[in-house]
Amino acid sequence: MEKNQSKGNIKVLMARFSLDGHDRGLLSVMSSFRDAGIEVVYIYFSDSKELAKVAQEEDANIIGVTSSMGQHFFIASTLLDALDERGIIMPVIMGGVIPTRDVPSLLDLGIRKVFGPGSAPKDAIDFVMGLS
Amino acid sequence: MFSRKTLDKVNEMMKDWEREVKDVYEEKLKFESPQYSSESGIPVKYVYTPKDIQDKEPEMPGAFPYTRGNRALGYQYMPWMIQLLHGYGTGEETRERTKYLIREGMKGYGKTPAVLFAVDTPTHCGFDPDNPKARGMVGLGGVNISTLDDIDTLLKDYDLPKTRVADNIRFTCLPFLAMYLVYAEGKGHRPQELNGQSQNGLGNRCLTTNLPSPMPDAQYKLEIELIKYSCKNIKRWNHTNLCGYVFGEMNVTPAQELGIVMSKAIDLVEGGIKAGLRPDEFVSRFSSQVHLGMDFFEEIAKLRAWRRMWARIMKGRFGCKDPKSLQYRIHVHTAGSSLTSQQPLNNITRATLQVLACVLGGVQSMHTNSYDEAIGLPSEEAVRTAIRINQIVLYETGIPHVTDPLGGSYYLEYMTDKLEEEAEKVMSEIESKGGYFECIKNGWLRQLLEKQSIKWRQEVDGGERVVVGLNKFKIYEEEEVPAFTVYQPEVEEEAKEKLKKWKANRDNSKVRDSLEKVKDAMSDYDSVEKAGILMPELIKAARAKCTLGEMMDAIVEVSGGRLYST
């Protein structure tokens, strides 16, 4: 747990649903994270339970999930349930193509922040840095 | 192209021009002249003159190397096809969208309706709706197809031989084609009567939209199989879409897009030859999907260079003689990556400029993006507006009255030559690394794509690249654009129900037997020389009511499984 206490050692688990092939945004964000000294682990998953398990094993500070095909509610609800089941408290942020009108509902579900199209990587970096 | 006298005169005039720039702008006005270059990195001068194209030979539309157009007459004889890729939710919803688009002006050549449909990602990959891996994604981004019934839902209103059926399927092209042939057979049509196209671009699809795909060696064999089968049995079928679009969406430059696509074409033509085909038998049935971005003149130059480069390669390298093999027919998809979700109406302006570039570049067919596509699937109003852009250019501007109206422009001709040179460099580099399919396997292409897309983002973030509304001229209160919604859980439940009924109404021992035969054929198909042995078994399997997912699973089971990420 020690590594999570200093700013330089923030670890983000970035995840893409394997049937959502859009990873261009994700690649850019990961590259910016790494440039900012944030540790990044990238996985694709086909089941949110799998993702929750990896999050626990990796002992990440935060999970970032991308959704560009309209599956954001499905992923948000199944992932948050899966984290609950494991008793993990870990903030989840989302990015990708997410209509602004869906953002309040995602936040209600328990997603901490949504970075839609046009968000600057800096916004995400500031948010992640602000966690610890 | 110019007399000595003219060139001498140009030299004199150039000296005057240069003097004025120096004396007035640089010295008196202290103007620091910016250095421009095109997207592909070609330096752009402030003005071009006959000197820039003095060694050029004159060219005409309809004559080799077809830079100015494939045929003697262009849009005067035949306007471009307005084709829009579409599909979502259930088959019924997609069918209604198709009807709407046709009513508003979507059309193939002549009177042929075009049904250009998008499928969801489970269908792309071959996961039926009852496969846990499909969960949450059925009906998103396109329609789900797993059975002959699903095809019927989409196409039951069409007279198949008079309809252009084009799917955008990624990895399951072969099982889908087998199913389509069996569906048509049920309607009393032989394969030879049908027309349309397959994507057949398994390789590039796994490089770009990063989805679970067959292994690289299997990808190549499956592509050659489709070429061989359709060439022998469905003569009017465009077997392979040489898709540059997906690379453009990863921000490769226009020159890189052209070079990559040509290197892919070379690999496939060589494969077709190994499979026992003569180039003239199948080269004319390649189709295309070119990416059209915002660098206006370079994009027009790319379209012209594309035709010329194709003609030269197919003639010089492969000895094609049939003019049809040498005439590259271009379908364009305007750049999705150029759209912004901020101030989305600006996207209509972007699409208009892109349509204009396409028309000036002489394309055969176009998909025009809708202004709301950065937010989600397009609404009816947005997609109608996209069609209207085409109709306004076609009927109100007079632009299509003259073929290759920019032909002879010093700048454009120069740019066309340069773009071709740059594309040739990219092509040679790929060839020196073993060719297109080898560069998928060794990761070189994927690395290039990642590098390009990260670079684009950094340029936007750093402000060196202006995207209006995104990093400049922002507004603080963004207007809300209603996003189009698919009621996904309902769509998925319905698809699962339908599939359950389908599976209950078939002879499952026949299903098992025919899937075993598919596996046997795929195992025997150990080199492209044997192409042609898999498709007949897939057709039999489709007749036995096997699903798309079952057929794909049979194929990948004996070809190394699925590759989840490149």
Side-chain angles (χ1 to χ4, degrees):
Chain A
M1 293 301 281
E2 250 168 56
K3 66 180 165 44
N4 290 340
Q5 285 161 6
S6 81
K7 260 197 177 181
N9 274 326
I10 295 178
K11 186 172 182 182
V12 183
L13 177 63
M14 296 290 270
R16 174 175 67 81
F17 198 49
S18 62
L19 285 197
D20 180 352
H22 299 79
D23 59 3
R24 203 186 74 163
L26 199 65
L27 292 171
S28 304
V29 176
M30 289 195 295
S31 151
S32 306
F33 277 169
R34 289 190 181 115
D35 290 347
I38 296 169
E39 188 184 347
V40 177
V41 179
Y42 173 36
I43 68 155
Y44 50 85
F45 64 103
S46 44
D47 183 343
S48 294
K49 289 188 173 141
E50 202 182 299
L51 174 55
K53 183 167 172 270
V54 177
Q56 191 164 37
E57 286 163 1
E58 290 286 343
D59 190 20
N61 295 72
I62 183 164
I63 304 173
V65 196
T66 186
S67 165
S68 294
M69 298 190 69
Q71 76 280 23
H72 42 279
F73 282 124
F74 173 73
I75 292 198
S77 55
T78 53
L79 175 60
L80 293 167
D81 285 351
L83 291 172
D84 274 352
E85 265 173 42
R86 288 185 169 264
I88 309 171
I89 298 167
M90 200 179 283
V92 179
I93 56 176
M94 292 187 91
V97 180
I98 297 174
T100 35
R101 68 144 185 241
D102 289 347
V103 173
S105 313
L106 286 170
L107 299 178
D108 281 348
L109 274 175
I111 297 297
R112 284 284 292 278
K113 185 116 178 130
V114 177
F115 299 92
S119 311
K122 193 181 166 296
D123 303 340
I125 292 169
D126 289 348
F127 183 84
V128 170
M129 290 292 205
L131 285 174
S132 52
Chain B
M1 215 141 102
F2 303 95
S3 67
R4 195 65 257 163
K5 200 177 150 199
T6 306
L7 291 172
D8 286 344
K9 197 172 170 191
V10 171
N11 273 333
E12 285 307 308
M13 295 171 88
M14 276 294 288
K15 278 182 199 150
D16 290 344
W17 182 85
E18 280 163 4
R19 195 176 309 118
E20 182 167 350
V21 170
K22 193 163 176 284
D23 294 352
V24 178
Y25 291 89
E26 290 173 0
E27 288 180 4
K28 200 169 154 199
L29 299 169
K30 307 285 175 218
F31 177 63
E32 285 178 34
S33 6
Q35 298 290 311
Y36 297 119
S37 62
S38 73
E39 281 290 330
S40 303
I42 300 167
V44 175
K45 298 191 286 187
Y46 295 166
V47 70
Y48 289 81
T49 71
K51 282 180 67 182
D52 293 298
I53 56 166
Q54 59 184 353
D55 301 325
K56 274 195 82 65
E57 293 296 319
E59 291 178 281
M60 279 297 277
F64 183 84
Y66 306 105
T67 317
R68 305 195 62 194
N70 290 334
R71 303 290 170 86
L73 291 187
Y75 301 135
Q76 304 90 345
Y77 177 69
M78 187 80 84
W80 61 92
M81 292 190 266
I82 301 172
Q83 302 199 85
L84 289 101
L85 180 65
H86 61 281
Y88 64 89
T90 64
E92 286 83 358
E93 285 172 307
T94 298
R95 195 178 67 217
E96 287 310 309
R97 178 54 75 91
T98 308
K99 278 189 197 159
Y100 175 80
L101 293 169
I102 289 175
R103 200 166 64 231
E104 295 302 333
M106 179 169 82
K107 62 200 274 295
Y109 267 151
K111 291 198 163 64
T112 314
V115 183
L116 187 67
F117 62 95
V119 300
D120 60 10
T121 43
T123 307
H124 283 304
C125 302
F127 298 136
D128 287 335
D130 58 359
N131 186 328
K133 291 203 164 85
R135 217 180 134 214
M137 296 301 282
V138 176
L140 292 183
V143 64
N144 183 270
I145 292 173
S146 52
T147 69
L148 296 174
D149 262 2
D150 298 329
I151 298 180
D152 185 57
T153 306
L154 272 186
L155 298 175
K156 64 175 158 199
D157 297 334
Y158 299 93
D159 182 11
L160 300 181
K162 294 197 177 104
T163 308
R164 224 182 90 73
V165 174
D167 61 80
N168 82 326
I169 291 176
R170 291 175 199 172
F171 309 122
T172 49
C173 312
L174 274 176
F176 174 78
L177 181 59
M179 285 166 66
Y180 179 60
L181 295 177
V182 170
Y183 172 68
E185 182 179 78
K187 299 254 173 190
H189 305 301
R190 289 175 301 110
Q192 290 295 21
E193 295 173 61
L194 303 172
N195 87 92
Q197 73 157 42
S198 296
Q199 278 290 333
N200 204 26
L202 288 81
N204 52 12
R205 292 300 188 163
C206 89
L207 280 172
T208 52
T209 35
N210 209 338
L211 293 169
S213 68
M215 291 304 180
D217 285 336
Q219 289 167 14
Y220 185 56
K221 284 191 285 184
L222 295 173
E223 290 192 31
I224 300 296
E225 175 74 15
L226 201 152
I227 292 174
K228 173 99 188 238
Y229 180 85
S230 75
C231 173
K232 293 290 180 194
N233 300 282
I234 337 171
K235 290 240 183 300
R236 291 195 297 156
W237 197 261
N238 292 333
H239 48 72
T240 307
N241 185 330
L242 290 171
C243 186
Y245 182 75
V246 287
F247 302 115
E249 288 295 282
M250 293 290 280
N251 306 107
V252 302
T253 68
Q256 286 170 333
E257 180 195 2
L258 178 51
I260 293 170
V261 171
M262 289 296 152
S263 69
K264 176 183 173 171
I266 287 167
D267 267 13
L268 287 176
V269 175
E270 283 173 353
I273 293 168
K274 280 188 199 148
L277 300 170
R278 283 180 303 109
D280 269 333
E281 276 183 284
F282 68 103
V283 166
S284 67
R285 284 293 169 191
F286 278 103
S287 62
S288 65
Q289 187 183 341
V290 172
H291 188 260
L292 205 295
M294 289 305 289
D295 191 339
F296 190 74
F297 285 105
E298 188 177 58
E299 291 291 358
I300 301 170
K302 179 180 79 181
L303 299 171
R304 302 172 90 243
W306 205 301
R307 280 191 295 268
R308 185 199 287 164
M309 207 168 156
W310 178 266
R312 284 181 176 160
I313 292 171
M314 293 308 151
K315 187 179 182 178
R317 190 156 175 167
F318 295 112
C320 291
K321 290 189 178 64
D322 185 348
K324 283 191 181 140
S325 307
L326 308 178
Q327 296 164 343
Y328 192 78
R329 293 161 301 152
I330 298 178
H331 168 76
V332 160
H333 195 116
T334 62
S337 55
S338 70
L339 307 178
T340 58
S341 65
Q342 299 77 10
Q343 305 171 44
L345 292 178
N346 293 343
N347 295 327
I348 301 177
T349 311
R350 295 191 175 98
T352 304
L353 287 165
Q354 290 162 341
V355 167
L356 180 59
C358 290
V359 173
L360 294 173
V363 306
Q364 275 63 44
S365 163
M366 238 187 280
H367 165 104
T368 310
N369 281 326
S370 301
Y371 67 82
D372 56 359
E373 283 190 67
I375 297 141
L377 291 171
S379 67
E380 282 196 350
E381 187 212 27
V383 83
R384 185 183 67 224
T385 307
I387 293 176
R388 293 290 180 265
I389 295 172
N390 287 263
Q391 292 158 335
I392 290 167
V393 174
L394 182 57
Y395 295 110
E396 296 185 8
T397 64
I399 295 164
H401 296 174
V402 174
T403 302
D404 190 33
L406 295 180
S409 146
Y410 313 132
Y411 174 36
L412 191 69
E413 294 291 359
Y414 172 86
M415 194 47 125
T416 305
D417 291 354
K418 281 285 165 197
L419 205 276
E420 186 182 1
E421 260 175 58
E422 290 303 310
E424 271 169 2
K425 282 184 206 158
V426 176
M427 190 179 91
S428 305
E429 186 172 9
I430 294 173
E431 284 200 78
S432 74
K433 294 181 193 314
Y436 173 83
F437 284 90
E438 187 55 36
C439 284
I440 295 180
K441 262 201 275 187
N442 65 25
W444 185 84
L445 266 170
R446 177 70 193 175
Q447 279 162 24
L448 173 76
L449 299 174
E450 292 191 4
K451 195 181 91 198
Q452 287 298 118
S453 60
I454 290 170
K455 181 167 162 263
W456 182 90
R457 185 73 228 189
Q458 286 168 344
E459 287 166 1
V460 169
D461 292 336
E464 308 136 57
R465 176 186 290 276
V466 172
V467 180
V468 172
L470 177 63
N471 63 356
K472 210 165 183 180
F473 312 110
K474 295 199 258 190
I475 50 176
Y476 292 97
E477 279 295 309
E478 281 291 342
E479 65 262 60
E480 174 76 15
V481 173
F484 187 87
T485 305
V486 175
Y487 295 95
Q488 198 277 333
E490 287 88 334
V491 172
E492 188 163 314
E493 271 320 298
E494 196 185 311
K496 277 161 88 171
E497 257 329 287
K498 277 175 76 179
L499 183 59
K500 204 169 151 190
K501 281 190 195 135
W502 175 266
K503 286 187 172 173
N505 280 308
R506 59 180 192 177
D507 181 342
N508 281 317
S509 68
K510 262 193 191 165
V511 168
R512 275 191 301 276
D513 287 351
S514 52
L515 291 174
E516 283 309 313
K517 290 200 174 115
V518 169
K519 285 183 212 166
D520 291 345
M522 189 63 199
S523 302
D524 290 345
Y525 182 23
D526 53 8
S527 69
V528 292
E529 281 80 0
K530 291 191 190 160
I533 60 175
L534 176 61
M535 192 60 182
E537 296 307 327
L538 288 170
I539 292 172
K540 286 180 206 157
R543 286 194 191 115
K545 296 187 167 187
C546 292
T547 65
L548 186 91
E550 287 166 340
M551 286 191 260
M552 198 61 191
D553 281 345
I555 290 171
V556 296
E557 192 187 311
V558 294
S559 60
R562 282 185 174 86
L563 185 64
Y564 269 78
S565 201
T566 48

